Amino acid sequence: MAANTDDIRASVSKDIAALQQEVSRLQKMISAQGAEAYYEVRGRAGKAYDEALPRAKNAVAQIRAEGAAAAGAAREHAAATTTALVLAGAVGFLFGYLLSGNSQPQPRHWWH
């Protein structure tokens, strides 16, 4: 019976060793695939960044130019700019005042 137990232990030990080797092989394979996917995604992101950079620089330049033009127009027409801002503020205040008056609940008296 001792020989049978030794044979079973040896067989189980061999199976465990084979499983350990298989797990190690699978870990290496998964690691390699993960690294490959990482470098692929990294390359795509770098390419997208390189393609978007000139467009972003162009957009920033256009925004700066339009901002400078708007500031120049506001300096040239200071009275019109001030009138437009005051009018916009007054309309906003009136609109807010009207909305706040409509949103308040009606008072309830104790006799109702």
Side-chain angles (χ1 to χ4, degrees):
M1 178 109 47
N4 193 12
T5 305
D6 291 338
D7 291 340
I8 293 173
R9 284 185 185 167
S11 175
V12 169
S13 295
K14 286 180 185 178
D15 289 343
I16 290 174
L19 287 174
Q20 287 174 337
Q21 288 177 349
E22 184 67 18
V23 167
S24 176
R25 186 183 69 80
L26 289 173
Q27 285 176 336
K28 289 177 184 176
M29 188 171 58
I30 290 171
S31 177
Q33 288 177 352
E36 181 181 331
Y38 167 77
Y39 287 118
E40 181 180 342
V41 169
R42 183 178 173 191
R44 286 182 186 174
K47 186 177 179 182
Y49 174 78
D50 292 340
E51 291 175 359
L53 186 61
R55 292 184 201 147
K57 286 182 179 180
N58 188 23
V60 168
Q62 288 180 352
I63 290 170
R64 284 184 181 161
E66 289 181 15
R75 278 190 219 104
E76 288 178 19
H77 307 287
T81 303
T82 304
T83 303
L85 289 175
V86 168
L87 183 61
V91 168
F93 176 78
L94 181 62
F95 188 68
Y97 180 75
L98 292 175
L99 281 179
S100 69
N102 289 337
S103 66
Q104 293 179 357
Q106 297 294 330
R108 301 194 77 188
H109 300 289
W110 61 271
W111 59 84
H112 282 197

